[in-house]
Amino acid sequence: MRRCQRCGQKAVVYLPQHRLSLCKEHYIEWYLKRVESTIREFKMFGKDDRVLVAVSGGKDSLSLWDALCRLGYTADGLYIDLGIGEYSQRSRLACERFAKERELELYVLELRKEIATIPEIKEVESRPACSFCGQLKRYYMNRFAREKGYHVIATGHNLDDESATLLSNVLSWNMGYLSRQFPVLLEGDGFVRKVKPLVKFTEKENALYAFLSGIEYVEEECPFSEGASSIEYKKTLAQMEEKSPGTKLRFYMDFLRRLHPILQTQEVELRPCKVCGEPTTAEVCSVCRLKERVIPKLLSSSPSS
Amino acid sequence: MRVKVSYRGQTLELEFEGERVRVGELLKALGLSREYAFVVKGEDVLEEKDTIVDGESVRVINAISGGYI
């Protein structure tokens, strides 16, 4: 039986990459300290900042929201209802229950009121749903946070997300994406600062925190993510991690320390979208272009037209 | 022996030879890695070497999630 290295009680968690065995209480303590040190290391935000946490009802975002509140930050939640049938209903309920139990402020933005639901858009778009879904979430998250006066948007991206994205970007040498892959994207030109305080935690570490803290989250995956490329990259990295613990953290952190600074040479020129005014590199932003394509098709296919 | 497994909103019944099964073998039977999945019994997180006996119910948490990159 493994013993907690802090108190000698029975350990519930063993973290091979850190060679650390911890009991429930000390795991939660370790997790919170690591969230705090990541926020400080990357100068993400301070106690005076108003933080908006993008919550999906999953383990990562709810663990993040919980941790930020326990650490004494001012953090409200934003749930974007994507209208994906039962999956969205369950996710929304998980977020609403979480906020109610802790007396936290949760905003809900319904995508069907802004453009259409993800399944409706998918009917008329050939791209993978995750591709335009991510684009829409980033757009509405930024607009909402800016309009409500939040200083920072925090998302629950974890080490597995970041190392899988890094692997994908390296395999295709996508220099634009590589130069922007960082746990802090600074504010400016209409963008609110975006931060990822959980980048040093694996998905399993976040799930353990959620389980041990009694956070009820939605375990089921979005039906549109079936066969997603990121799962294959994550499984490949998991195989490497099993053989050599610490590989993922080293891969990601060494990228941030060694390669990322070298890539910061190109300035991106931003301007307001001529339709909606949101920041973009093109004349018309990608969401307005999506609306232009999708809305006429949806109107012509609706039974009332 | 049979083990009742609660997994991502579903209840599965898995059958193994012998009278007990190790947590690591259970994960393997589900095609999951210890890197992203773990098994809980009641309030406890089980270790890979822990055993589950006939008729016991456990919950398997698979932390992997995905999307388009």
Side-chain angles (χ1 to χ4, degrees):
Chain A
M1 186 178 75
R2 287 185 203 274
R3 297 253 167 220
C4 172
Q5 284 165 239
R6 303 275 154 86
C7 68
Q9 298 288 311
K10 183 182 183 287
V12 294
V13 176
Y14 175 64
L15 307 169
Q17 71 275 38
H18 306 293
R19 293 182 185 169
L20 195 59
S21 301
L22 296 169
C23 67
K24 175 180 166 174
E25 188 193 334
H26 285 111
Y27 179 73
I28 291 173
E29 186 188 276
W30 172 83
Y31 185 93
L32 292 172
K33 275 189 180 166
R34 200 164 162 82
V35 173
E36 180 82 79
S37 66
T38 308
I39 291 168
R40 286 196 185 158
E41 179 182 351
F42 294 101
K43 298 181 176 65
M44 291 180 171
F45 48 85
K47 292 268 156 74
D48 295 334
D49 285 313
R50 289 181 68 216
V51 181
L52 185 68
V53 185
V55 287
S56 66
K59 64 185 188 306
D60 303 299
S61 58
L62 292 184
S63 292
L64 171 63
W65 199 8
D66 183 88
L68 294 184
C69 293
R70 286 211 219 185
L71 290 166
Y73 290 100
T74 309
D76 297 333
L78 170 66
Y79 174 77
I80 299 181
D81 191 330
L82 305 166
I84 308 176
E86 208 185 308
Y87 171 74
S88 287
Q89 287 167 18
R90 289 165 58 85
S91 312
R92 181 171 172 166
L93 197 67
C95 294
E96 287 173 341
R97 199 172 41 215
F98 180 96
K100 197 178 169 192
E101 282 170 5
R102 291 160 180 80
E103 296 180 355
L104 297 170
E105 178 90 68
L106 173 73
Y107 301 99
V108 175
L109 187 145
E110 294 184 13
L111 201 59
R112 70 180 173 89
K113 290 183 183 166
E114 305 292 336
I115 166 168
T117 65
I118 294 295
E120 284 169 342
I121 302 171
K122 182 64 197 140
E123 284 289 306
V124 291
E125 265 284 299
S126 54
R127 279 188 295 160
C130 301
S131 150
F132 58 79
C133 182
Q135 205 170 54
L136 288 164
K137 282 191 285 193
R138 285 190 293 275
Y139 176 92
Y140 288 110
M141 223 183 274
N142 185 66
R143 202 182 72 180
F144 186 90
R146 195 189 59 231
E147 286 172 358
K148 291 274 182 187
Y150 284 93
H151 305 122
V152 184
I153 297 168
T155 62
H157 288 94
N158 56 56
L159 178 62
D160 292 274
D161 296 328
E162 295 303 303
S163 53
T165 302
L166 178 58
L167 179 60
S168 166
N169 287 337
V170 164
L171 289 174
S172 56
W173 289 118
N174 197 324
M175 303 306 276
Y177 287 153
L178 282 169
S179 69
R180 287 194 296 277
Q181 194 177 350
F182 201 72
V184 182
L185 293 176
L186 289 175
E187 64 273 27
D189 298 316
F191 283 116
V192 174
R193 182 185 301 192
K194 288 187 198 72
V195 301
K196 301 173 182 177
L198 301 188
V199 287
K200 286 193 177 181
F201 295 99
T202 65
E203 288 184 307
K204 185 177 169 180
E205 287 163 356
N206 289 338
L208 280 165
Y209 178 78
F211 173 72
L212 296 172
S213 304
I215 297 169
E216 286 181 45
Y217 65 92
V218 176
E219 271 187 70
E220 288 90 307
E221 278 295 283
C222 170
F224 286 107
S225 75
E226 206 175 303
S229 53
S230 64
I231 293 183
E232 290 313 310
Y233 290 125
K234 284 178 181 179
K235 286 183 176 171
T236 303
L237 288 163
Q239 281 180 344
M240 294 161 80
E241 187 77 20
E242 263 193 57
K243 286 181 188 147
S244 177
T247 301
K248 277 185 294 197
L249 192 59
R250 200 170 53 246
F251 177 50
Y252 178 61
M253 291 307 291
D254 281 357
F255 160 74
L256 296 183
R257 286 186 196 121
R258 297 180 187 199
L259 191 61
H260 191 265
I262 300 170
L263 299 175
Q264 303 309 296
T265 49
Q266 286 177 322
E267 289 255 331
V268 181
E269 210 175 296
L270 291 165
R271 62 180 112 173
C273 165
K274 72 172 189 185
V275 179
C276 69
E278 289 298 302
T280 176
T281 51
E283 241 183 72
V284 176
C285 77
S286 58
V287 168
C288 285
R289 276 185 278 139
L290 181 70
K291 277 184 169 176
E292 269 172 25
R293 280 199 309 275
V294 163
I295 290 174
K297 286 184 193 168
L298 287 173
L299 288 174
S300 67
S301 64
S302 82
S304 56
S305 64
Chain B
M1 67 161 287
R2 281 167 181 269
V3 181
K4 255 193 194 167
V5 178
S6 154
Y7 179 60
R8 289 194 162 175
Q10 291 181 304
T11 306
L12 314 169
E13 232 179 53
L14 301 181
E15 206 164 330
F16 296 93
E17 280 182 22
E19 288 174 358
R20 53 188 64 232
V21 62
R22 281 188 194 276
V23 165
E25 291 169 61
L26 176 73
L27 288 177
K28 211 172 170 186
L30 289 166
L32 302 172
S33 160
R34 61 161 194 252
E35 285 305 319
Y36 50 77
F38 57 98
V39 178
V40 299
K41 191 164 70 181
E43 299 284 295
D44 295 327
V45 180
L46 300 183
E47 282 190 49
E48 240 187 303
K49 286 176 186 165
D50 286 340
T51 53
I52 303 156
V53 298
D54 189 33
E56 273 191 316
S57 297
V58 293
R59 182 175 158 209
V60 174
I61 298 176
N62 177 4
I64 208 167
S65 61
Y68 172 88
I69 296 178

